[in-house]
């Protein structure tokens, strides 16, 4: 027979938070019933804010952080404040508001939205569209998605660009022109050869 050990003591949250959480959890009828006890004191009452959308919510979070810091409610400034959310996609709106408000933050358990690989790749595409001379962004997306371009080829293109003083986009532009010229010459040669053969038959 298994021995059931119920972990009811919460060491991090205050009584106000655990009692509010318990009230919500009790609506889940399929959950094993247990009580939650707080190790800390009662603390400040839980506040409820209803936002219109994620941007409204993020603006409220940023303004509350500023209010808490300015009022001196938190002892160690921004370091005493944490923002928790359920999914990573929720971080974008919050991060944008924090950046605009000049509030420093550290993301735990993941990367900041604009530091994620897929986001940086998309931004690199947009930079190249806006400025084809941006070689750094160009070489970032050269093989994204995979196009079978190896590291050696990439390095040769970089060396060529550096030696000629041109961007990655311009290198490809010149290569296309050279390839087009070569194909046209081959077509012309094939045409001359075909004409000669027809003349010979006549």
């Amino acid at each position: 027979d298994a021995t059931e050990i119920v972990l009811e003591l919460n060491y991090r949250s205050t009584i106000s938070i655990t009692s509010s959480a318990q009230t919500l959890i009790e609506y889940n009828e399929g959950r094993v019933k247990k009580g939650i006890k707080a190790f800390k004191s009662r603390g400040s009452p839980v506040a409820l804010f209803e936002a219109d959308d994620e941007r409204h919510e993020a603006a409220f979070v940023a303004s509350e952080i500023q209010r808490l810091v300015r009022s001196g409610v938190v002892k160690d400034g921004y370091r005493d404040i944490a923002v928790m959310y359920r999914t990573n996609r929720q971080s974008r709106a919050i991060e944008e508001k924090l950046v605009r408000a000049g509030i420093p933050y550290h993301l735990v358990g993941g990367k900041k939205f604009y530091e994620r690989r897929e986001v940086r790749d998309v931004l690199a595409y947009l930079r190249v569209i806006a400025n084809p001379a941006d070689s750094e962004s160009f070489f970032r997306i050269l093989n994204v998605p995979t196009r079978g371009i190896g590291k050696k080829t990439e390095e040769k293109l970089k060396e060529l660009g550096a030696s000629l003083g041109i961007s990655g986009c311009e290198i490809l532009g010149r290569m296309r022109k050279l390839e087009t010229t070569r194909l046209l010459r081959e077509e012309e040669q094939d045409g001359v050869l075909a004409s000669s053969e027809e003349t010979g038959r006549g």
Side-chain angles (χ1 to χ4, degrees):
D1 294 335
T3 301
E4 185 178 299
I5 301 174
V6 182
L7 304 177
E8 296 180 315
L9 190 59
N10 186 303
Y11 291 94
R12 294 186 296 178
S13 304
T14 60
I15 294 174
S16 295
I17 293 175
T18 54
S19 60
S20 298
Q22 183 67 40
T23 302
L24 291 174
I25 292 170
E26 286 176 355
Y27 286 100
N28 186 354
E29 297 178 354
R31 183 177 179 274
V32 176
K33 290 187 176 181
K34 71 172 183 178
I36 302 176
K37 300 174 184 178
F39 182 76
K40 294 184 177 181
S41 60
R42 176 159 294 278
S44 302
V46 174
L48 178 64
F49 174 77
E50 185 175 357
D52 297 330
D53 53 35
E54 69 276 11
R55 296 186 183 280
H56 186 202
E57 180 183 58
F60 170 76
V61 170
S63 64
E64 275 297 290
I65 291 173
Q66 289 176 323
R67 183 186 67 80
L68 290 170
V69 172
R70 289 169 182 168
S71 63
V73 173
V74 289
K75 296 179 181 179
D76 201 15
Y78 296 117
R79 294 172 62 87
D80 278 353
I81 301 172
V83 179
M84 293 177 283
Y85 45 85
R86 291 184 63 84
T87 60
N88 286 334
R89 68 180 181 82
Q90 291 177 277
S91 73
R92 178 184 176 183
I94 296 172
E95 286 187 63
E96 286 182 350
K97 289 297 181 183
L98 294 180
V99 170
R100 289 179 182 178
I103 299 173
Y105 69 95
H106 172 68
L107 202 64
V108 179
K111 289 185 177 181
K112 294 181 179 180
F113 182 80
Y114 288 105
E115 290 181 0
R116 295 173 190 170
R117 181 176 179 178
E118 62 274 19
V119 175
R120 294 179 71 178
D121 288 343
V122 171
L123 289 175
Y125 268 102
L126 294 175
R127 289 193 188 100
V128 171
I129 292 170
N131 179 21
D134 187 346
S135 287
E136 183 178 350
S137 297
F138 170 81
F139 283 109
R140 178 179 180 84
I141 60 173
L142 180 63
N143 203 32
V144 178
T146 304
R147 300 183 177 92
I149 301 172
K151 285 290 181 182
K152 288 185 178 180
T153 301
E154 183 178 333
E155 289 302 320
K156 287 180 179 178
L157 289 173
K158 287 181 179 179
E159 290 174 5
L160 181 60
S163 63
L164 296 176
I166 59 176
S167 67
C169 280
E170 195 171 347
I171 291 171
L172 288 190
R174 292 191 182 187
M175 290 175 68
R176 287 195 189 98
K177 287 180 181 178
L178 289 173
E179 180 64 14
T180 302
T181 302
R182 183 184 66 80
L183 291 172
L184 288 173
R185 285 177 178 173
E186 287 181 357
E187 287 180 3
E188 287 177 359
Q189 290 175 356
D190 290 342
V192 170
L193 182 60
S195 298
S196 299
E197 289 177 352
E198 289 176 2
T199 303
R201 291 194 194 99

